[in-house]
Amino acid sequence: MPGASWICRPCLIRALRPLNRWHTRFQSNAAATSGPISPALLSRARAVAAEHSQLAQKLTNGFDARAAKKLGEITAVVNALKEWEKANESLTELRTLIHDPSTDDELRSLASDDMASSSEHLNQASQALTTSLVPKHPFTNLPCLIEIRPGAGGSEAAIFAGDLLRMYQAYCSRQGLRTALLKYENAEGVPESDSPLSEAVLEVESEGAYGVFRCEAGIHRVQRVPATESKGRTHTSAASVLVLPSFPSGGSAETEDFDDPESDYYVDPKEVRTDIMRARGAGGQHVNTTDSAVRLTHLPTNTVVSIQDTRSQIKNREKAWQLLRSRIAQARREKREEEMVAMRRSVVGVAKMGRGDKVRTYNWGQQRVTDHRSGLTVHDLTDVMEGGHTLEKVMESVRTWLMERDVEALIAGDETDGGK
């Protein structure tokens, strides 16, 4: 092409686009279905875009709070779809230039050079579009409660449970997350934080904490030589970690009303038995002399919460209600998730690991930490236990794993609905 040598690459390629527009349009549908994104997800994105357009039109005729809220929620999907379509069109046009016999050799060379970057752009746009489509977990933006209990392994398990508690406290400190030790009891039931624990509840008060720590729920296993082991043998012990949403005592703009029977964390006071008793176990001079311990029992589910951390019955009652609501809400959410997984498992093998699954192994001898969901192994156990960057690396790998499972479930649900 005369004069092509002095035209900049983008201008040169754009100059030929009108000549190949008919061919681009002919191939666009095929390229859309063969790109690095599920056709089911692409169909869902376009349905969301259509809904977005309808809502926008509705709002031009008058303000509607519910429509405005919905519009804001799905705008990210629409923007991601536009970016994907732009990247997909650009890559399609480059392929057209390369395979069209009438294309100038220099243009074909320029198009070939741009293929790698355009393909990467499409991959990134596909990932962004997929992520935008996954429904946000309803508890993601809430603070959270981290419950830690020793499992199999006797006193070594109790020591390891304490190690996990300090690991999460250190992590929160490094990340600037506010925490409060809601409950700490040792094997004798005494609320002393410097002894091996039987149960601990750490509240992470910062917004979004549930989304950060959701990946930590499950059985954490430790392999090391206990301090009490005289022959140097490695023992295996375990501790369980449960992550619950933490709801403010009076609700907020981000949560539903506690009085709404349809909400996940609604608890009917008539269904809760309250027992007041004296705190148990050896301790300070006031521990056994006041009726300050509070035990709540949710009768329909037999969920029991007991708090005796302070000498104030009122404060212990507030803590107990907070913990009870969180446990009930989490149980309801898990039940719904299990029902969805069971429904979709017939379509694809959607995996879901719950509180009873072994999720991570900490091997002291090899200084190794392995997460059994993401498959990531790191060899800086010290940094992990100090809540450092290596722990964040492991946690991020699990968040990615959870996202992938959510995408599988989303695709499976679309395919199930499409087959009806």
Side-chain angles (χ1 to χ4, degrees):
M1 181 179 294
S5 59
W6 54 266
I7 302 178
C8 68
R9 176 181 297 184
C11 297
L12 195 58
I13 293 176
R14 282 198 300 270
L16 193 63
R17 282 179 178 172
L19 303 178
N20 295 278
R21 186 68 65 186
W22 65 270
H23 194 43
T24 297
R25 289 176 179 174
F26 179 77
Q27 291 188 341
S28 61
N29 290 336
T33 57
S34 62
I37 187 171
S38 162
L41 291 184
L42 192 56
S43 177
R44 173 183 283 262
R46 286 171 173 157
V48 171
E51 182 183 8
H52 185 276
S53 180
Q54 293 172 359
L55 290 171
Q57 181 61 37
K58 180 179 180 180
L59 288 171
T60 60
N61 300 324
F63 181 76
D64 182 287
R66 181 171 296 182
K69 179 180 179 182
K70 181 65 175 179
L71 189 74
E73 291 174 350
I74 64 177
T75 295
V77 176
V78 176
N79 291 338
L81 177 61
K82 289 179 180 178
E83 188 64 27
W84 182 89
E85 289 177 334
K86 179 181 177 182
N88 189 56
E89 180 182 0
S90 177
L91 187 61
T92 301
E93 291 182 353
L94 289 176
R95 288 170 177 163
T96 300
L97 289 175
I98 292 173
H99 297 292
D100 189 347
S102 63
T103 301
D104 180 86
D105 289 343
E106 187 172 358
L107 281 176
R108 182 177 289 109
S109 176
L110 292 173
S112 298
D113 291 343
D114 284 345
M115 279 292 293
S117 60
S118 295
S119 295
E120 178 61 25
H121 184 201
L122 181 60
N123 287 333
Q124 293 174 356
S126 299
Q127 181 61 42
L129 180 57
T130 300
T131 301
S132 71
L133 285 167
V134 175
K136 187 171 67 173
H137 194 287
F139 301 150
T140 294
N141 293 330
L142 292 174
C144 73
L145 302 175
I146 303 175
E147 292 190 16
I148 304 173
R149 296 184 184 87
S155 60
E156 171 63 12
I159 294 172
F160 177 57
D163 292 339
L164 288 179
L165 172 62
R166 287 183 286 275
M167 178 184 78
Y168 291 131
Q169 288 175 316
Y171 175 85
C172 289
S173 178
R174 288 173 179 258
Q175 299 292 327
L177 302 174
R178 302 186 308 275
T179 63
L181 191 58
L182 199 65
K183 181 176 183 179
Y184 191 110
E185 290 185 359
N186 69 6
E188 288 73 37
V190 182
E192 296 292 341
S193 60
D194 59 351
S195 56
L197 62 82
S198 63
E199 180 182 6
V201 180
L202 178 68
E203 181 177 18
V204 186
E205 301 170 334
S206 301
E207 292 185 2
Y210 185 88
V212 173
F213 288 98
R214 176 188 170 204
C215 60
E216 293 302 287
I219 302 299
H220 294 240
R221 186 178 67 169
V222 60
Q223 295 174 328
R224 64 183 176 188
V225 179
T228 56
E229 171 57 54
S230 59
K231 297 183 179 180
R233 293 174 295 189
T234 298
H235 290 222
T236 298
S237 304
S240 68
V241 175
L242 177 60
V243 181
L244 307 169
S246 178
F247 303 106
S249 58
S252 71
E254 298 296 324
T255 61
E256 304 170 49
D257 193 330
F258 285 152
D259 295 328
D260 182 4
E262 299 300 320
S263 70
D264 272 335
Y265 51 86
Y266 170 78
V267 178
D268 188 347
K270 297 177 182 178
E271 297 179 341
V272 178
R273 186 181 70 234
T274 302
D275 297 310
I276 306 299
M277 65 202 78
R278 291 187 179 182
R280 56 190 173 86
Q285 59 180 341
H286 298 285
V287 164
N288 295 308
T289 60
T290 58
D291 292 331
S292 59
V294 176
R295 182 174 64 205
L296 302 180
T297 304
H298 186 242
L299 300 177
T301 61
N302 199 33
T303 302
V304 180
V305 171
S306 60
I307 295 290
Q308 63 172 43
D309 281 23
T310 72
R311 299 203 304 264
S312 168
Q313 182 188 125
I314 295 176
K315 291 183 179 180
N316 284 337
R317 185 192 296 267
E318 290 176 353
K319 288 183 178 181
W321 267 101
Q322 180 184 12
L323 189 53
L324 179 66
R325 282 196 184 97
S326 296
R327 288 183 180 176
I328 295 297
Q330 182 74 359
R332 289 169 177 164
R333 178 68 188 176
E334 287 179 352
K335 182 179 179 181
R336 287 203 304 274
E337 287 179 344
E338 287 303 316
E339 290 172 350
M340 287 189 291
V341 169
M343 178 187 70
R344 294 164 178 168
R345 189 170 284 135
S346 59
V347 182
V348 295
V350 181
K352 207 75 175 181
M353 300 188 76
R355 69 178 72 182
D357 295 293
K358 180 185 70 176
V359 297
R360 194 174 298 155
T361 296
Y362 305 73
N363 186 296
W364 251 252
Q366 300 175 12
Q367 284 290 294
R368 170 177 58 83
V369 177
T370 298
D371 195 280
H372 304 292
R373 297 158 296 181
S374 67
L376 178 67
T377 294
V378 296
H379 291 88
D380 194 349
L381 185 145
T382 299
D383 189 58
V384 169
M385 299 310 296
E386 291 177 352
H389 172 73
T390 311
L391 175 60
E392 170 59 25
K393 179 180 178 181
V394 175
M395 292 171 64
E396 182 58 32
S397 74
V398 184
R399 295 186 199 112
T400 300
W401 179 87
L402 285 171
M403 174 66 73
E404 292 170 353
R405 302 292 77 73
D406 288 340
V407 170
E408 288 181 10
L410 189 66
I411 295 173
D414 285 346
E415 291 177 351
T416 299
D417 295 339
K420 293 182 179 178

